């Protein structure tokens, strides 16, 4: 299953807003947790360079027979940050618990203040989710 980037980013943004207002993940039995990321979350990224972001997450999918874990990378204005013609990193996963590793090459533009990374678990054939984990990288000028 391929998730179209702008639709997921918009759905993810709306889902995160709803989750923030409702106190969200409390009713969900699905979850996703960051286990490891490289570079380390919070490490500064240098503007004008590309960086490969690699994440490993543990998921627990109970609300559907299958789902998709998606790596969403945005700037501080919640706009997608991807290399042109590159697919968004994602992996289909079965019901239950498991680990998944995703990578994405990201251009760090000079106008960015930060790069925000979301790992989302989308259950079944849904187009949005509030099951996410998030971290960010500050951007420093060379």
């Amino acid at each position: 299953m391929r998730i179209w980037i702008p639709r997921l980013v918009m759905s993810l943004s709306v889902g995160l807003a709803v989750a923030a207002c409702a106190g969200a993940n409390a009713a969900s039995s699905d979850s996703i947790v960051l286990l490891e990321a490289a570079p380390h979350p919070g490490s500064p990224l240098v503007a004008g360079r590309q960086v490969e972001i690699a994440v490993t997450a543990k998921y627990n999918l109970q609300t559907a027979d299958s789902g998709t874990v998606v790596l969403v990378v945005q700037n501080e204005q919640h706009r997608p940050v991807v290399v042109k013609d590159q697919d968004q990193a994602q992996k289909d996963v079965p019901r239950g618990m498991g680990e998944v590793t995703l990578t994405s090459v990201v251009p760090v533009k000079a106008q960015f203040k930060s790069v925000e990374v979301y790992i989302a678990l989308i259950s079944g054939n849904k187009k949005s989710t509030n099951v996410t984990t998030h971290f960010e990288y500050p951007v420093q000028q060379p």
Side-chain angles (χ1 to χ4, degrees):
M1 170 173 59
R2 278 283 154 210
I3 306 294
W4 188 54
I5 293 172
R7 174 178 268 170
L8 178 62
V9 170
M10 179 62 78
S11 297
L12 183 59
S13 297
V14 171
L16 291 174
V18 170
C21 293
N25 285 345
S28 174
S29 59
D30 295 341
S31 63
I32 191 148
V33 177
L34 176 68
L35 296 177
E36 189 175 352
H40 185 69
S43 300
L45 303 180
V46 178
R49 297 189 182 159
Q50 286 191 356
V51 63
E52 180 177 82
I53 296 174
V55 299
T56 299
K58 181 177 183 178
Y59 70 88
N60 183 5
L61 176 63
Q62 298 300 319
T63 60
D65 289 334
S66 64
T68 306
V69 177
V70 183
L71 180 61
V72 179
V73 183
Q74 303 176 338
N75 66 17
E76 72 282 352
Q77 297 174 339
H78 303 290
R79 294 198 172 101
V81 178
V82 292
V83 173
K84 186 178 178 178
D85 298 326
Q86 175 183 313
D87 285 336
Q88 191 172 30
Q90 58 187 359
K91 178 148 179 72
D92 293 335
V93 296
R95 175 188 292 269
M97 295 193 308
E99 291 183 15
V100 62
T101 298
L102 299 169
T103 61
S104 183
V105 175
V106 176
V108 182
K109 297 185 178 177
Q111 66 268 29
F112 292 174
K113 293 181 177 145
S114 66
V115 172
E116 302 198 14
V117 179
Y118 293 87
I119 308 166
L121 173 61
I122 303 168
S123 72
N125 293 323
K126 293 182 180 177
K127 300 293 183 207
S128 65
T129 187
N130 63 1
V131 182
T132 65
T133 187
H134 165 262
F135 62 93
E136 67 182 72
Y137 298 105
V139 173
Q140 70 182 27
Q141 298 303 314

